[in-house]
């Protein structure tokens, strides 16, 4: 949807958010499979189906501390049984349980021959020998059968699954010391701007601290990718060129600043000299200018994102455009954050024609959302307060109090 100001700039393409994302995703593909130690795969996407190499559990065992017995002997409370042994976890039982007999058994210990039921300690007098059963117990109680969890040869985790703590535990139980996953992209991050100083410097007159390199690095890491910060490039074509040369080892390059139409915006011409870059005006607020292209390297072409310099715009365009691309490269099929609908507490005005992403604070219990306050694109504190983005459609000029609005759940506290 072209707007008057972007039409005035003529040469630039104006795209909707969805069109821009579609073009980006069409130009990135999943990376290759890599093998690595199990725990290093946390957050990665499994490349091959994981198959059970044995039944899990591989032997019949007790789910409780108690007495392994024959069900026929414990159908009445007050049955008295001879205790002929004791079985600990990790030890195979010697001998079998016959009629009128019991073996003391610990949780996880193998069931002895002859026994088909475990009576919990709490349902006995805890006798050494004999033991008195104080509650009738049904056949099969507290016995875990072999293969009850997983069957040998069964596909346990499908290729394409994201590995979290639960999957890591299952893979460990199957003996996967090393796993094949889709490699996660390495992301090189460059800030541009003469006004920027690093975190450990005191800004002089007209200078500001470089926030984007840190917020973008953190956002890359939150997406389980490796981030490499390559410092600040000055607003000088040679310096930008030098920084991008250093960044060329990455699977993805992310720059911030220098992509508006100011005199000192060198990113596009420099990238054009090293590859190609499209300059897009996106019908979005905040974060309008976005550059996307490819840098030619000895390894082939590397996607490069030129994000706007405003700290809110930089982080927002990362969230909307870079993060899905990183996830696709890392083999994910679900590229979108979860969404929700909530009742808006405060009225929000927005420019007609621009899809607007207000930073919001979502109260899940109340089903409501309020904005973080002033929504200017330089107000980075709005990002720090937000746990969601309020996604307001292009066509409207405002969202009213009490209206149901769409949310992108970027960062719910419960996720931590
Ligand atoms: P630019 O896109 O280079 O025109 O920058 C737009 C605005 O963002 C200017 O106010 C810059 O000072 C600011 N800015 C650019 N880069 C950064 C950064 N790395 N950290 C904080 N602010 C920045
Ligand atoms: Mg700049």
């Amino acid at each position: 949807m072209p707007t008057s100001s972007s039409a005035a700039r003529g040469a630039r393409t104006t795209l909707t958010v969805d069109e821009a994302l579609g073009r980006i995703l069409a130009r990135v593909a999943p990376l290759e499979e890599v093998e690595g130690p199990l725990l290093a795969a946390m957050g990665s996407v499994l490349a091959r189906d994981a198959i059970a190499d044995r039944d899990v559990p591989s032997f019949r065992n007790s789910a409780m501390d108690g007495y392994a017995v024959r069900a026929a002997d414990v159908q009445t409370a007050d049955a008295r049984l001879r205790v002929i042994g004791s079985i600990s976890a990790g030890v195979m039982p010697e001998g079998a349980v016959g009629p009128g007999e019991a073996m003391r058994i610990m949780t996880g210990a193998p069931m002895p021959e002859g026994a088909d039921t475990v009576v919990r300690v709490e349902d006995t007098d805890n006798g050494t020998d004999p033991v008195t059963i104080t509650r009738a117990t049904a056949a099969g109680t507290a016995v875990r059968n072999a293969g009850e969890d997983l069957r040998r040869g069964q596909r346990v985790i499908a290729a394409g699954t994201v590995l979290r703590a639960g999957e890591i535990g299952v893979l460990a139980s199957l003996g996967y010391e090393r796993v094949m996953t889709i490699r996660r992209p390495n992301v090189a991050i460059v800030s541009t701007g003469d006004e920027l100083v690093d975190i450990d410097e005191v800004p002089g007159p007209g200078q500001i601290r470089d926030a984007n390199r840190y917020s973008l690095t953190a956002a890359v890491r939150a997406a389980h990718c490796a981030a490499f910060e390559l410092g600040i490039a000055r607003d000088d074509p040679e310096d930008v060129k030098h920084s991008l040369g250093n960044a060329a080892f990455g699977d993805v390059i992310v720059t911030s600043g220098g992509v508006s139409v100011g005199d000192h915006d060198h990113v596009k011409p420099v990238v054009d000299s090293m590859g190609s870059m499209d300059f897009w005006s996106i019908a979005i607020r905040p974060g309008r200018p976005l550059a996307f292209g490819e840098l030619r390297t000895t390894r082939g072409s590397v996607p490069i994102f030129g994000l706007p310099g405003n700290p809110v715009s930089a982080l927002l365009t990362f969230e909307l455009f870079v993060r899905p691309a990183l996830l696709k490269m890392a083999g994910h099929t679900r590229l979108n954050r979860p969404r929700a609908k909530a009742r808006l507490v405060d009225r929000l005005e927005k420019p007609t024609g621009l899809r607007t992403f207000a930073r919001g604070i979502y109260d899940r219990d109340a089903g409501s959302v309020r904005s973080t306050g002033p929504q200017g694109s330089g107000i980075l504190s709005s990002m720090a307060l937000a746990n969601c983005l309020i996604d307001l459609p292009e066509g409207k000029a405002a969202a009213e109090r009490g209206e149901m609005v769409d949310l992108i759940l970027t960062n719910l506290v419960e996720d931590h």
Side-chain angles (χ1 to χ4, degrees), residues 9-321:
R9 281 199 288 271
R12 292 207 205 177
T13 321
T14 299
L15 301 173
T16 65
V17 170
D18 292 339
E19 284 167 350
L21 182 59
R23 289 192 186 190
I24 289 165
L25 293 179
R27 277 160 65 179
V28 299
L31 299 177
E32 72 279 6
E33 297 178 6
V34 285
E35 195 197 280
L38 178 58
L39 278 176
M42 178 78 189
S44 289
V45 171
L46 191 64
R48 311 258 178 92
D49 289 346
I51 307 292
D53 66 339
R54 64 188 62 202
D55 287 348
V56 178
S58 58
F59 53 89
R60 215 163 53 107
N61 68 85
S62 176
M64 296 277 186
D65 291 337
Y67 295 83
V69 300
R70 301 166 81 99
D73 288 340
V74 293
Q75 293 315 301
T76 51
D78 77 14
R80 271 159 69 97
L81 304 174
R82 254 184 353 108
V83 180
I84 60 165
S86 173
I87 317 157
S88 310
V91 180
M92 289 310 287
E94 279 175 24
V97 172
E101 292 176 344
M103 280 195 203
R104 205 176 167 93
I105 192 164
M106 308 305 149
T107 305
M111 285 290 287
E113 288 294 317
D116 57 8
T117 301
V118 172
V119 181
R120 303 187 306 162
V121 174
E122 296 89 324
D123 295 337
T124 71
D125 67 351
N126 200 13
T128 312
D129 185 21
V131 60
T132 301
I133 308 302
T134 53
R135 179 198 286 233
T137 304
T141 296
V143 176
R144 301 168 178 153
N145 286 312
E148 159 185 303
D149 188 359
L150 306 171
R151 285 272 169 208
R152 182 197 161 112
Q154 181 186 334
R155 185 178 76 176
V156 182
I157 304 178
T161 304
V162 183
L163 301 180
R164 304 161 307 156
E167 286 81 9
I168 296 280
V170 171
L171 291 169
S173 74
L174 299 179
Y176 280 86
E177 192 184 346
R178 299 175 72 78
V179 284
M180 298 291 290
T181 57
I182 309 295
R183 190 166 70 79
R184 292 176 285 193
N186 294 320
V187 184
I189 297 167
V190 176
S191 290
T192 73
D194 280 341
E195 74 280 27
L196 303 179
V197 298
D198 211 338
I199 195 169
D200 55 350
E201 292 172 66
V202 179
Q207 296 184 323
I208 57 169
R209 289 208 180 90
D210 176 3
N212 294 347
R213 211 165 91 238
Y214 292 89
S215 61
L216 294 172
T217 296
V220 166
R221 292 190 181 155
H224 290 290
C225 296
F228 299 86
E229 337 149 27
L230 297 176
I232 300 164
R234 296 300 157 199
D235 288 325
D236 163 70
E238 283 310 309
D239 206 34
V240 172
K241 196 167 188 157
H242 178 76
S243 286
L244 293 183
N246 288 340
F249 74 89
D251 300 298
V252 174
I253 302 169
V254 177
T255 69
S256 68
V259 290
S260 50
V261 287
D263 291 342
H264 300 293
D265 293 330
H266 299 294
V267 173
K268 177 177 160 52
V270 171
V271 175
D272 276 337
S273 75
M274 305 166 82
S276 67
M277 200 170 209
D278 293 330
F279 209 168
W280 297 337
S281 172
I282 301 179
I284 183 180
R285 167 72 56 88
R288 211 142 177 218
L290 179 81
F292 177 71
E294 286 162 355
L295 206 70
R296 273 191 308 275
T297 73
T298 49
R299 295 176 296 122
S301 61
V302 173
I304 175 166
F305 291 85
L307 306 185
N310 274 312
V312 172
S313 307
L315 203 46
L316 184 84
T317 49
F318 178 93
E319 170 67 31
L320 296 177
F321 302 111

Side-chain angles (χ1 to χ4, degrees), residues 285-286 312 344-350 356-362 369-390 392:
R285 167 72 56 88
V312 172
L344 186 61
V345 171
D346 44 356
R347 182 173 196 273
L348 283 174
E349 291 197 2
K350 65 176 282 295
T356 299
F357 295 89
R359 275 71 67 208
I361 302 169
Y362 174 41
V369 65
R370 64 194 162 90
S371 79
T372 54
Q375 296 287 315
S377 63
I379 301 181
L380 190 56
S381 54
S382 70
M383 278 296 203
L385 293 170
N387 62 9
C388 71
L389 294 170
I390 308 172
L392 301 168

